[in-house]
Amino acid sequence: MKTRLIIILSLASIATLMAQPRYDMAHIQRERLNRGVVALHEGDNVVVSWRTLSTDVSGEAFDVYRNGEKLTPHPLTSGGTFFVDEHPLSTEAVYEVRGGKCDGAYTLKPDAPEGYIPIRIDKPDGGTSPDRRNYHYNANDASVGDVDGDGQYEIFLKWDPSNSKDNSFAGFSGNTLIDCYRLDGTRLWRIDLGRNIRSGAHYTSFMVYDFDGDGRAELMVKTADGTVDGMGQVIGDPHADWRYHSDDGNDKRNGRILDGPEYLSVFNGETGAVMATRPYIPERGDAGAWGDTHANRSERYLAGVAYLDGIHASGIFCRGYYTRTVVAAWDWDGKELKNRWTFDTDTPQWSSYAGQGNHNLRIADVDGDGCDEITYGSMAIDHDGIGLYNTGFGHGDAMHLTVFDPRSDLLQVWDCHENHRDGSDFRDAKTGRVFFQIKSDEDVGRCMAADIDPTHPGLEMWSSASGGVRDIQGQLLYRARLSTNFGIWWDGDLLRELLDHETVSKYDWTTGRVGLLQHFEGVRFNNGSKSNPCLQADLVGDWREEVLARNNESTELRLYISTIPTDYRINCLMEDIPYRLSVASENTGYNQPPETGFYLGPDKTVRPFLK
């Protein structure tokens, strides 16, 4: 392997520049969360955790009660929103947190498990595909949205059949299903996407968000003939079967959907009822125009959510990234589903942007105009559907977008590439200007960025071919080989931990070793070697992130919550728009960890979200 570091621009030269305020928080339509109180057993104690919200004042006073009895001798005005009740629990107890503009409560049973909330799920029956192979279902990717406006998230869960297929493989798959559950395990509905939506990691990106601003989340997803909504209504022709079926078992088209109508549908989040369906853009057209005739490239989809006008949330639905790339923005106002704009590399103006997409995307306001841009691998699209920049470095598997430098509020990108040439690059998210690049003749499959070492300013970066861990100037800090999967805020400090294969671990900068913090017993992460939880996000409790994973039998989801004390008060991360949008698109393609639109780490004493 050959690697070569090219430093193009020092970040120190831009550290004094400040971005404009990214969003008009007084007018942007966003969800309103409740206090998010949660209580968990921890040995003989009970830990209680709750959200700090943007409506709270600095030093907001909180009191904790158990069954109406006050437990806090004095109101909690400093330290984390975290309390330990040292009295053993023998009967059911209601824990209340009172303070700020909203109170909250959580009921804990004495037989509840330690460290997680169990959520019963209804595992579907398996089936037999047209090639006479049996399949079963596993719980897979998840998302969240508040479907009834009570300030608490519901879970949207995708069921993946055991014969789901990567696009590079032929063969039939079972149907993809999507359920919605309350945190108590109540199933609200099930949607069956039908036989004409192939199952696999690259086919179904499902966006959950409050698109029309009514305070209740909707589901926006690609559908086809035979999709059945949560009320039993069928979309399109219920009898149509567009799957290619050849007697030749070696035919690369076997089991794929090469013809037939395609739709984009919006579903009511509370009932699962379809509310609108339109022809899908980007449309398939001639499959050969995407680079092959067996739909390996034409059937690769990405999706996201963006505030393109700075106020309303739009759905972003995409097709292709190896060759032709098409990105379409969709608006739902509660009555009509409309295509806002479409970006297509088949047009002469944007032909140079072809082949630049990743297996994932990132969305945030990178230029400070109050509207979101789409970072699509090595290129970016402005909020109005116009190309913003293109590095020409091509396709990759992983990408990270956040504020890396604690001296600046500007967003940067750490990206990796598969072309045996461009390796990985660290660049300005607004202009694409490269700060440093690590050339490589390898396929650089994965990269990761997180603040794991407080002795060096800003986030650290590494990849499968970076030669080790590097700082924001591109300097090699140490040659440790660390996980390139997920980062997670789990323990009580402001550094980020590593999440991979059902395990939270922490880098020890004093020894250069990685130590185990927690292993989640009895659960299984998803997507093979990608090893993703169903979801990672700040869903309940204080500012730290939770891990949602399926048990081995896929009969239960477990929402793991940190019981480690923290002294920090930070607003619920889901109130940070770039973080919330990255949670919404976490299920697309190769899952990536959510990331904030501000620097979160130990190097800055004043942070936008620190109370």
Side-chain angles (χ1 to χ4, degrees):
M1 179 190 71
K2 295 179 181 178
T3 61
R4 184 160 55 101
L5 173 65
I6 301 175
I7 299 178
I8 298 178
L9 177 66
S10 170
L11 270 180
S13 66
I14 65 164
T16 58
L17 299 177
M18 300 295 290
Q20 297 296 316
R22 293 199 176 98
Y23 303 95
D24 180 357
M25 300 307 289
H27 297 98
I28 192 169
Q29 293 181 352
R30 59 194 180 105
E31 60 202 0
R32 304 296 178 184
L33 299 176
N34 64 17
R35 190 57 70 187
V37 177
V38 65
L40 297 164
H41 291 291
E42 176 68 6
D44 292 333
N45 300 330
V46 173
V47 299
V48 185
S49 180
W50 61 97
R51 292 180 179 129
T52 304
L53 299 169
S54 56
T55 55
D56 296 328
V57 300
S58 181
E60 189 75 72
F62 295 104
D63 280 304
V64 180
Y65 294 77
R66 182 174 71 174
N67 293 332
E69 179 184 354
K70 188 177 178 180
L71 299 179
T72 45
H74 305 286
L76 304 176
T77 58
S78 62
T81 52
F82 186 95
F83 180 81
V84 179
D85 177 12
E86 296 180 349
H87 301 86
L89 191 67
S90 58
T91 60
E92 182 175 286
V94 177
Y95 284 89
E96 292 179 85
V97 175
R98 302 177 188 175
K101 294 185 178 181
C102 69
D103 301 333
Y106 186 88
T107 301
L108 181 65
K109 297 182 178 180
D111 59 348
E114 290 195 19
Y116 69 88
I117 298 174
I119 304 166
R120 185 185 63 82
I121 53 177
D122 299 328
K123 184 174 182 176
D125 295 332
T128 303
S129 55
D131 54 3
R132 299 178 182 177
R133 296 183 179 180
N134 296 330
Y135 61 87
H136 62 273
Y137 280 97
N138 290 313
N140 193 252
D141 291 333
S143 191
V144 291
D146 178 7
V147 304
D148 53 12
D150 65 354
Q152 177 172 288
Y153 287 123
E154 280 72 43
I155 297 170
F156 291 66
L157 177 67
K158 182 178 80 170
W159 288 99
D160 193 44
S162 56
N163 61 351
S164 64
K165 296 289 188 295
D166 185 271
N167 295 62
S168 57
F169 295 98
F172 292 89
S173 72
N175 296 3
T176 296
L177 312 175
I178 299 176
D179 289 354
C180 183
Y181 294 92
R182 300 196 189 277
L183 290 183
D184 64 4
T186 301
R187 193 182 86 186
L188 299 181
W189 46 258
R190 171 169 289 167
I191 292 171
D192 184 345
L193 293 181
R195 66 172 70 95
N196 294 308
I197 296 289
R198 202 170 187 237
S199 296
H202 302 293
Y203 292 99
T204 296
S205 298
F206 56 104
M207 293 299 106
V208 178
Y209 214 80
D210 179 11
F211 290 102
D212 59 5
D214 67 351
R216 299 166 184 259
E218 295 84 38
L219 167 68
M220 197 178 293
V221 67
K222 185 176 185 286
T223 57
D225 281 343
T227 294
V228 182
D229 77 358
M231 305 291 286
Q233 179 178 341
V234 181
I235 295 172
D237 182 352
H239 306 294
D241 187 346
W242 296 101
R243 294 171 295 182
Y244 191 88
H245 197 165
S246 169
D247 293 333
D248 180 2
N250 296 319
D251 194 319
K252 291 183 177 181
R253 298 168 294 176
N254 226 19
R256 301 177 187 268
I257 293 96
L258 304 172
D259 296 297
E262 302 174 285
Y263 309 116
L264 182 69
S265 297
V266 180
F267 297 87
N268 184 291
E270 190 169 15
T271 68
V274 63
M275 296 189 292
T277 295
R278 291 284 306 276
Y280 186 79
I281 299 173
E283 65 273 8
R284 180 189 298 114
D286 177 14
W290 301 86
D292 61 58
T293 59
H294 55 277
N296 180 25
R297 288 170 171 79
S298 65
E299 297 297 293
R300 291 184 180 264
Y301 302 93
L302 300 177
V305 177
Y307 288 92
L308 300 175
D309 62 0
I311 299 175
H312 309 91
S314 299
I316 306 297
F317 285 83
C318 322
R319 192 180 212 130
Y321 36 78
Y322 288 128
T323 51
R324 181 187 178 191
T325 296
V326 185
V327 179
W330 291 87
D331 294 339
W332 166 249
D333 64 2
K335 297 179 180 179
E336 292 185 88
L337 182 60
K338 296 180 180 179
N339 177 219
R340 174 182 283 262
W341 52 251
T342 301
F343 174 94
D344 190 346
T345 62
D346 257 12
T347 60
Q349 184 180 9
W350 308 121
S351 60
S352 65
Y353 281 60
Q356 304 302 313
N358 275 25
H359 287 297
N360 31 67
L361 48 71
R362 295 283 185 178
I363 295 175
D365 175 17
V366 302
D367 57 10
D369 62 359
C371 304
D372 285 322
E373 286 71 45
I374 299 102
T375 301
Y376 202 85
S378 294
M379 56 96 158
I381 303 169
D382 210 344
H383 67 275
D384 54 5
I386 303 300
L388 188 65
Y389 72 79
N390 174 23
T391 67
F393 292 157
H395 167 74
D397 283 3
M399 173 175 53
H400 303 275
L401 187 153
T402 187
V403 175
F404 285 69
D405 187 344
R407 299 164 297 177
S408 169
D409 288 334
L410 301 175
L411 293 163
Q412 295 93 32
V413 176
W414 172 238
D415 195 8
C416 60
H417 314 284
E418 289 188 344
N419 58 18
H420 302 266
R421 179 192 68 208
D422 288 305
S424 49
D425 74 283
F426 182 51
R427 65 181 187 263
D428 179 11
K430 174 182 177 180
T431 66
R433 188 174 186 182
V434 177
F435 302 132
F436 69 83
Q437 182 181 6
I438 305 169
K439 293 277 192 175
S440 176
D441 58 8
E442 282 191 2
D443 172 343
V444 184
R446 305 289 279 179
C447 64
M448 181 56 195
D451 199 341
I452 60 172
D453 184 346
T455 65
H456 301 277
L459 272 64
E460 285 73 46
M461 289 163 271
W462 60 98
S463 74
S464 56
S466 61
V469 178
R470 297 181 181 266
D471 66 11
I472 56 177
Q473 303 292 344
Q475 302 304 311
L476 183 65
L477 302 178
Y478 23 80
R479 297 189 179 277
R481 294 186 66 87
L482 305 179
S483 165
T484 53
N485 199 358
F486 270 42
I488 183 171
W489 285 289
W490 184 260
D491 67 5
D493 65 24
L494 296 176
L495 295 170
R496 212 169 194 197
E497 287 68 57
L498 305 176
L499 178 67
D500 197 1
H501 287 91
E502 301 88 34
T503 299
V504 179
S505 57
K506 189 176 186 69
Y507 178 74
D508 185 341
W509 62 93
T510 64
T511 64
R513 297 179 180 177
V514 175
L516 173 68
L517 278 183
Q518 183 162 349
H519 180 72
F520 304 124
E521 298 288 347
V523 298
R524 192 76 60 85
F525 279 11
N526 296 322
N527 305 320
S529 63
K530 305 299 180 293
S531 183
N532 309 124
C534 296
L535 186 70
Q536 173 194 312
D538 179 13
L539 300 178
V540 294
D542 61 36
W543 60 276
R544 291 168 298 173
E545 296 172 293
E546 285 70 53
V547 174
L548 184 68
R550 60 184 172 96
N551 69 351
N552 292 329
E553 300 78 23
S554 280
T555 57
E556 178 182 270
L557 295 179
R558 295 180 179 178
L559 183 61
Y560 287 94
I561 302 162
S562 178
T563 57
I564 303 171
T566 180
D567 291 330
Y568 295 95
R569 284 194 183 191
I570 302 173
N571 286 9
C572 175
L573 297 184
M574 295 289 263
E575 290 196 318
D576 176 55
I577 297 299
Y579 182 91
R580 181 65 182 91
L581 299 182
S582 60
V583 169
S585 62
E586 193 175 322
N587 67 76
T588 195
Y590 291 171
N591 311 52
Q592 293 285 275
E595 289 164 338
T596 57
F598 63 98
Y599 171 78
L600 177 53
D603 300 325
K604 194 174 182 182
T605 57
V606 180
R607 301 172 184 84
F609 267 57
L610 197 61
K611 291 289 187 184

